[in-house]
Amino acid sequence: MTKFFVIAAFFGDGSFEVMKFLHAADLHLDTPFQGLDALPEMWQHRLTAAPFTALQRLVDLAITEQVDFVLLVGDLFDQQAQSVPAQAALMAALDQLAAEQIPVILSFGNHDFQPDVTTWHFPANVHVFDAQVTTVELTTKQQQRVAITGFSYDQRWVTTPKVQDFPLKRTGVDYQIGMLHGQVGTSGDHYAPFAVSDLLAKHYDYWALGHIHQRQTLNAMPPVMYPGNLQGRYRDELGAKGALLVTSQGDQLVPEFKPLAPLVWTNWTPELSGQLDRPTLLTQLSAQLQARPVTVPELVVITLPATLTLTPTAELALTQGALLAQLQQQAPATSWPVTLQLAATDTTSDLFGMDTAIWQQAGETTVTTEKIAALADHLLDEPFLNQTLLEATTPEQWQQQVLRLLQDHYHLTLQGGDSDAN
Ligand SMILES: [Mn+2]
């Protein structure tokens, strides 16, 4: 299974050898955006084009940085059966990298799992992992030997800890990198569960993770990194999105985030206080929205400060959506207000006589994969429903959705809002 890439040496002596690569994951190219109708046409186009634009920017960055290789760690597609435009976009990207002689090492994840990767016909610069953990070795332009170990999902769930199949760092290579689409957990969890200590025990120089859409560092050195997804798709996938440009500094590999998403989702709380009537609230909101320093077009989720008091008319306009509609009419071209609501206050949650922790606990015990499966019964035999019910949405996301509904409805204050979307 092992392939070898050998790239011609440009530099002989190697005294200033720098290795560079890009680590990206979770492209979800064919995401079926929901709720698009609520957006104006221009923003619909921006959002649906965004995953493809982000991919093109990744390719452009690989070329301008002249990286030694590109890692794509699973969930290139949102679904097992990909759309033709999504496949075409990926192939075009791989062809561009092939023309620049930039190797690409890719794996499929839980969303785009492939029972048989040999059905894919990628350009010659691409190595795709199959379901077995294997190692591919390549030699960079500056003659550094790099071993890359990984696997693809051949089914929706990989419940065995695949880390146990990863070999120890090879002797004789300059760097070894592990590619792993999964999340921290224990045997039986659905997404190639691992402990960070298991990874570190392999003595690799870098772990290129995928699956969690929030960019994060599980270990600083050697880096164990989630780059996050390439493009935020929903209001849960906030902030700048992109890939990690990893550069060798001595014998260490150092990641640097490179924003690539052409559109971001933003949470924003304007600076407002005191008691405001409807016209004043609108004027101030609009002025502050116009004044936002925006470098990337943004879809804005607006939360008004809890300390704000509103006149009855203003409150009605807020809860009935009239205020948002007016604000949207005055929105600048680069910031679209998606939602507008008042922050929850402690006093309203006190009305229920119970605190957030109890709601959270209730959510966690009520919404579990098992209970969803029991409720859905034979519906889960249908692959698309199975995907939607158990897969595209994790129990954590279900919990968050239930809790958000409660929050929106009752103005509850809830903690721990960051869901680990997969
Ligand atoms: Mn994903």
Side-chain angles (χ1 to χ4, degrees):
M1 287 310 297
T2 306
K3 276 189 199 170
F4 291 85
F5 297 104
V6 179
I7 310 293
F10 293 135
F11 305 99
D13 88 352
S15 48
F16 296 99
E17 289 171 357
V18 172
M19 180 183 77
K20 255 194 249 184
F21 67 91
L22 275 170
H23 167 201
D26 297 280
L27 284 63
H28 290 262
L29 287 172
D30 50 351
T31 290
F33 290 99
Q34 286 154 2
L36 272 182
D37 293 350
L39 293 175
E41 214 164 298
M42 179 184 73
W43 285 95
Q44 289 184 29
H45 288 313
R46 278 180 172 169
L47 187 56
T48 52
F52 300 105
T53 308
L55 173 61
Q56 186 57 53
R57 289 182 176 181
L58 181 75
V59 170
D60 294 344
L61 181 63
I63 294 168
T64 55
E65 289 285 345
Q66 282 295 299
V67 297
D68 292 293
F69 52 91
V70 175
L71 308 180
L72 303 176
V73 193
D75 287 2
L76 282 66
F77 302 104
D78 197 60
Q79 297 154 75
Q80 188 202 356
Q82 303 85 25
S83 74
V84 172
Q87 287 193 37
L90 179 67
M91 287 301 184
L94 297 175
D95 282 337
Q96 279 182 276
L97 293 169
E100 296 285 332
Q101 293 184 300
I102 296 175
V104 178
I105 297 89
L106 70 84
S107 63
F108 291 103
N110 55 300
H111 272 260
D112 55 357
F113 68 93
Q114 298 295 315
D116 180 8
V117 297
T118 63
T119 59
W120 285 85
H121 301 287
F122 290 119
N125 63 320
V126 176
H127 177 80
V128 56
F129 286 113
D130 67 14
Q132 303 298 316
V133 173
T134 49
T135 300
V136 59
E137 197 174 310
L138 60 85
T139 303
T140 67
K141 283 172 273 207
Q142 302 191 45
Q143 298 301 299
Q144 292 140 317
R145 288 176 61 194
V146 185
I148 301 167
T149 306
F151 69 96
S152 285
Y153 283 52
D154 61 350
Q155 52 193 319
R156 184 167 296 115
W157 292 340
V158 172
T159 54
T160 53
K162 297 291 271 193
V163 186
Q164 65 201 15
D165 299 340
F166 281 66
L168 293 172
K169 181 177 176 177
R170 241 178 220 193
T171 51
V173 296
D174 294 297
Y175 303 102
Q176 185 146 359
I177 297 167
M179 280 173 60
L180 175 55
H181 190 91
Q183 67 186 64
V184 168
T186 52
S187 185
D189 289 351
H190 293 159
Y191 306 111
F194 64 87
V196 174
S197 57
D198 298 336
L199 307 187
L200 299 180
K202 304 296 178 183
H203 303 292
Y204 289 7
D205 301 282
Y206 187 93
W207 279 91
L209 305 180
H211 183 63
I212 301 293
H213 290 185
Q214 181 75 39
R215 183 172 66 256
Q216 53 192 287
T217 303
L218 298 191
N219 193 69
M221 199 54 69
V224 178
M225 307 295 297
Y226 283 110
N229 51 347
L230 209 54
Q231 170 63 54
R233 302 164 305 151
Y234 308 111
R235 57 183 275 193
D236 285 347
E237 299 181 348
L238 289 165
K241 297 285 186 179
L244 296 170
L245 176 66
V246 185
T247 310
S248 67
Q249 294 180 11
D251 58 358
Q252 295 191 330
L253 297 179
V254 180
E256 178 194 358
F257 174 65
K258 292 288 184 182
L260 298 170
L263 174 65
V264 301
W265 293 81
T266 310
N267 269 347
W268 176 53
T269 298
E271 288 177 24
L272 299 166
S273 60
Q275 183 173 24
L276 299 180
D277 60 16
R278 179 174 171 172
T280 312
L281 178 59
L282 178 63
T283 305
Q284 293 196 6
L285 265 177
S286 187
Q288 288 190 33
L289 187 66
Q290 300 276 352
R292 280 177 63 74
V294 174
T295 50
V296 178
E298 55 174 12
L299 292 164
V300 190
V301 174
I302 307 174
T303 307
L304 302 178
T307 48
L308 194 64
T309 36
L310 300 177
T311 61
T313 319
E315 173 121 35
L316 194 66
L318 177 68
T319 54
Q320 294 188 336
L323 200 64
L324 176 62
Q326 281 183 295
L327 186 61
Q328 287 172 338
Q329 283 170 12
Q330 303 173 8
T334 50
S335 299
W336 182 256
V338 182
T339 61
L340 174 63
Q341 63 183 27
L342 198 60
T345 60
D346 289 341
T347 49
T348 48
S349 68
D350 285 346
L351 292 174
F352 290 83
M354 54 177 92
D355 65 18
T356 317
I358 294 174
W359 281 102
Q360 198 77 36
Q361 193 188 6
E364 281 164 15
T365 51
T366 308
V367 186
T368 64
T369 307
E370 290 70 26
K371 290 190 179 176
I372 295 164
L375 275 170
D377 194 27
H378 290 303
L379 291 175
L380 294 183
D381 296 340
E382 297 295 332
F384 77 97
L385 280 174
N386 191 310
Q387 174 113 5
T388 304
L389 287 170
L390 295 183
E391 170 58 17
T393 310
T394 64
E396 292 75 25
Q397 286 172 290
W398 278 99
Q399 287 161 17
Q400 291 302 328
Q401 287 184 17
V402 169
L403 292 168
R404 189 185 303 126
L405 283 172
L406 285 167
Q407 182 179 22
D408 288 351
H409 200 74
Y410 296 110
H411 290 247
L412 284 168
T413 307
L414 297 170
Q415 312 155 331
D418 278 350
S419 68
D420 287 343
N422 63 331

